[in-house]
Amino acid sequence: MSKKTKDIILFTVFMVFGIGIAVYAHGYKVSRPPYGYDLGDWWLPFWCATLIALMSVILMIKALLSKDPEYSKKTPIDFAGKSSLIKGILTVCLLLAYVAAFQPIGFLISSVAYLFLQFLILSTKDNRNWLVISAVAVGLPLVVYVLFVYVFNYILPAGILG
Amino acid sequence: MVLDGILSVVTSPECLLLILVGVFVGIVFGSIPGLSAVMAICLFLPLTFGMTAINGISLLLGLYIGGVSGGLISAILLKIPGTASSVATVFEGGPMADRGEGGKAIGAGILYSFIGGVLSIIALVLLAPFLAKFAVKFSSVEYAAVMMFSLTVIATLSGKNVIKGIIAGLFGILLSTVGSDPIGGFDRLGFGLKSMSSGFDTVSVMIGFFAISDVIAFAFNYAAEMEKPIIKTAKVKGFGVSLKEFKECFRCMIVSTILGIGIGILPGIGGGTANLVSYSAAQNFSKTPEKFGTGHLEGLVASETSNNATTGGSMVPMLTLGIPGSTSAAMLMSALMIHNVTPGPLIFRNNGRVVYAIFAALLVANLFMLFVERLALPVFVKLLSIPKNILLPCVVMMCTLGCYTSHHITFDVITMFVFGVIGLLMRKAKIPLGPCVIGFILGTNFETYLRRSITNNNGSLLPFFNSPIACIFIALAVLFCVIPAIRSRKKKQERR
């Protein structure tokens, strides 16, 4: 895929997004018209979205009219390797799981699990130090939990620990 | 009264110890992304009830000064702004850390934070009544003009592709409109979700954009990242700033201090705007604007001097008019009132001793901040030698904690994750994150003051041209948009 194609897709997405939000925000003008001389709650989101759509159109036209051969040249996908791709996907899934588990499972257990698994994902057999990984994964959340709950008196989600 | 107030701080070991503890804890809170000086002050406020007025307020001032300056540590070392006041520090401090000058960046940040803080306190002591009179002249029209001027930072930070930068800035402003409308209170762009009614938390958005997207990008680029050698950070002598560099940055330092004090005295604007405006001004008036964003000392000086200069500035309306200039100032004001000290025009007459004690405590806190952070500099620099695959997950955990402790709702943590993914997609699409974050930080204030000014003036825009202060800011806004365009044209002509 060339840079030109990527840019056209990107600007199209922005244009559709801008138009969508502008139409939605304009609905506020109709449903709750501004009082007196106030610009209204619709004004800023509408104009921001409209300008985003307008600028995207400008950039799209600029991209379509560009005759730069380097810009239209097909470039290989920026890819750091299959193993990195898997690590990236696993990281996103793990972060999602951590966020989902933070409240119901509790800060301490979810953080220990997150750190341990994230260290495993972001290491290979060659550079994996089990002692360091285990010590940090257990020790850091514990220290932070004690500090925040017993020293600073903050409330952190206890989750299944009650 | 003056001497009595100063000596009550300087000659009291108990008071000095409280300031030192406050500064240390404040630095810890400021350096952890998601925690802030405001949280630290909230936490320790009940502890001051049993103390004398001077001791109690001295502890809180230590927390305030430590918290404001602590943000530079995470901004430089982790490229995560601890608060909105450290956003511009990331743009220069981060690249400096990447090329092994992390120690120099932190040292310079500490020094200029101290200078900005001390100069603003001197301004507070000598010019408080005059500055207060100036602040009172600002109506919603002048505030709206200041915000318009602040938004020009978006154009300055857009880099080579100005239109992409402006789209990013507009996207950021659009994100700031999610939630309750600041004037009418109507829900906007929430799509029926109750949790969206209070909008997105600033800290969650910043942490998502800078920290979470960094971790995900690191994972996707793991093989290449692990092949990079860990850059050894050079040892720092003194504060890492030579006399020549100090002379070169002197003008920038003075201008940034004035901007920081000026913005600090305006209630409701704060350090988040000050560091961005100073950074933009420094870039526009620099002899080497093209170096900004690549780890340029002048940019770091502008950001750190101005954000600490707001500390003294925000005390001016709080002490002299009883109007807190920021959330931290509001907390400090409540502490004063608990101890039967009423801020306002009569404070010098009724509680002069306490006022001068506050001035002394601020100076002592800045001094302690300088020493504590300089002594801890080698420890901070050690963080840079921790492998990224160990450091980044720990940072994510602390950031998640920081996001949660803001309002104790899981929605903030979800926001952090969502904006992390959005940040990654923006990086892939080469859309700059800086303008987006700036638009988000400044958007609400811009809308509030613009709508108020138009409503108060019956829909007329004439007051913007009738007010000399507003005209100056609008002219500066136009100038800051035109200067980069002229420079870019000159460069193209030189190339031809």
Side-chain angles (χ1 to χ4, degrees), chain A residues 14 28 32 37-38 41 80 84 87 91 96 103 114-115 118-119 122-123 127 144 148 152 154-157, chain B residues 35 39 43 186-189 219-223 389-390 393 396-397 401 404 408 410 417 431 451 458:
Chain A
F14 267 117
Y28 295 142
R32 36 192 205 224
Y37 292 104
D38 185 21
D41 61 329
S84 295
K87 286 185 189 296
T91 298
L96 187 60
Q103 181 82 23
Y114 165 73
L115 281 178
Q118 186 71 89
F119 288 147
L122 295 181
S123 60
N127 62 13
V144 168
F148 275 74
F152 295 142
Y154 265 110
I155 299 168
L156 293 180
Chain B
L35 304 183
M39 280 186 198
L43 207 59
F186 294 114
D187 274 346
R188 291 185 298 193
L189 302 179
F220 273 109
N221 205 27
Y222 181 79
N389 60 331
I390 299 289
V396 168
M397 191 205 79
L401 179 71
Y404 181 79
H408 293 276
T410 319
F417 172 73
I431 297 169
R451 283 174 65 182
N458 298 331

Side-chain angles (χ1 to χ4, degrees), chain A residues 41-93:
Chain A
D41 61 329
W42 68 279
W43 190 86
L44 191 64
F46 173 78
W47 282 109
C48 281
T50 305
L51 286 170
I52 287 173
L54 222 63
M55 290 196 175
S56 305
V57 167
I58 292 169
L59 285 176
M60 208 183 324
I61 293 170
K62 207 175 156 191
L64 285 165
L65 294 175
S66 172
K67 287 174 183 168
D68 183 359
E70 278 299 312
Y71 190 51
S72 309
K73 192 175 161 188
K74 278 192 179 171
T75 50
I77 296 170
D78 187 17
F79 184 52
K82 193 178 168 188
S83 121
S84 295
L85 181 66
I86 293 170
K87 286 185 189 296
I89 293 168
L90 284 174
T91 298
V92 174
C93 295

